[in-house]
Amino acid sequence: MAILDPAVDAFLLAHVPDRDDELKAMEAWARERRFPIVGPAVGALLEVLARSIGARRVLELGSGFGYSAAWWLRGMPPDGKVVLTDLDPDLVARGTAHLERLGHRGRFGYEVGEAIETLRRARGPFDVVYCDVDKEGYPDVVEPAVERLRPGGLLVTDNALWGGDVADPAVHDPATEAIRVYVERVSTHPLLRTTVLPLRDGVAVSVRLPDTGARATR
Ligand SMILES: C[S@@+](CC[C@H](N)C(=O)[O-])C[C@H]1O[C@@H](n2cnc3c(N)ncnc32)[C@H](O)[C@@H]1O
């Protein structure tokens, strides 16, 4: 099921901000290898979100070769830092090289291994926790992320509509079910206010509410 009409998709892609040749080279590599990256329309959203909240500390869960992190870094001040995570050391090496060529040396660090373990070990507060790991892992991210976000910080998750499968009652595979649980959890969490944007494959954006006094009213 297409989430957006292809003509609307094309219109959005025609209006993404200009970007470095290095970012375009990363897009080309992903296209050739069919490696799933957020792409420039969602990338621009990440930059806008980072600028909107003055993000300085971002934790990414499932960074691949650094494409989404490059967009977060575009939206952050020079002292902003991104912690990237991935299971695959080859992607970590590739991502490190790309981010250095983009001029981000000193502004990022990769943790190799299970992203959820890095999240659980991490000391917040973060301005952003960004989630793009294996979909079955999505529900487990919510509580530790909420605990490590500052009030006003964002939990941002890609593939929240999973090609539209989340809305198809005939689909019950583990990835789709896990994304449904995730969206339900962030939509009903008393310390989050959530919206799901139908951009590309769907992006869930949740803002962390203050601990006291301002619990979400339903
Ligand atoms: C969709 S790709 C990430 C793309 C990246 N966010 C971007 O848009 O440029 C997902 C990545 O998460 C990694 N990954 C999946 N499950 C993981 C886990 N449990 N812990 C750490 N990394 C994981 C995969 O190796 C893969 O590189």
Side-chain angles (χ1 to χ4, degrees):
M1 177 193 309
I3 290 170
L4 286 182
D5 184 294
V8 175
D9 230 7
F11 178 84
L12 293 176
L13 283 173
H15 291 86
V16 295
D18 197 15
R19 54 209 189 280
D20 321 68
D21 288 344
E22 187 72 21
L23 264 177
K24 290 181 184 165
M26 293 167 88
E27 290 162 16
W29 190 85
R31 229 178 358 259
E32 282 159 23
R33 307 282 188 302
R34 300 181 140 267
F35 184 88
I37 56 171
V38 288
V42 172
L45 170 69
L46 307 184
E47 178 182 350
V48 167
L49 291 175
R51 289 185 187 279
S52 306
I53 64 163
R56 287 192 143 75
R57 283 193 83 196
V58 173
L59 173 58
E60 277 206 334
L61 311 174
S63 298
F65 66 103
Y67 181 81
S68 49
W71 283 96
W72 287 119
L73 285 161
R74 270 172 65 118
M76 293 160 71
D79 64 347
K81 287 211 167 70
V82 177
V83 177
L84 299 85
T85 59
D86 210 280
L87 293 165
D88 182 340
D90 290 342
L91 292 173
V92 171
R94 173 168 288 277
T96 301
H98 280 301
L99 293 173
E100 290 194 348
R101 281 200 290 274
L102 281 163
H104 297 314
R105 180 176 289 203
R107 303 182 70 211
F108 72 94
Y110 263 103
E111 302 266 336
V112 190
E114 261 302 328
I116 188 80
E117 295 308 323
T118 300
L119 173 63
R120 290 193 180 121
R121 269 197 316 271
R123 300 209 12 211
F126 290 97
D127 299 302
V128 176
V129 175
Y130 166 75
C131 173
D132 199 4
V133 286
D134 285 342
K135 309 312 147 191
E136 288 84 343
Y138 275 20
D140 290 342
V141 164
V142 178
E143 270 318 311
V146 168
E147 284 164 19
R148 286 159 184 79
L149 279 170
R150 68 156 165 93
L154 302 175
L155 172 58
V156 180
T157 294
D158 194 34
N159 308 112
L161 297 175
W162 206 224
D165 282 359
V166 289
D168 182 345
V171 180
H172 293 288
D173 61 82
T176 305
E177 292 288 14
I179 295 170
R180 287 186 182 125
V181 170
Y182 176 86
V183 172
E184 176 68 17
R185 217 166 262 187
V186 293
S187 302
T188 56
H189 197 291
L191 286 173
L192 296 174
R193 186 73 91 204
T194 296
T195 183
V196 180
L197 305 173
L199 192 58
R200 204 185 66 95
D201 199 27
V203 185
V205 181
S206 307
V207 63
R208 166 61 155 98
L209 299 171
D211 285 307
T212 51
R215 296 219 153 203
T217 48
R218 304 189 55 75

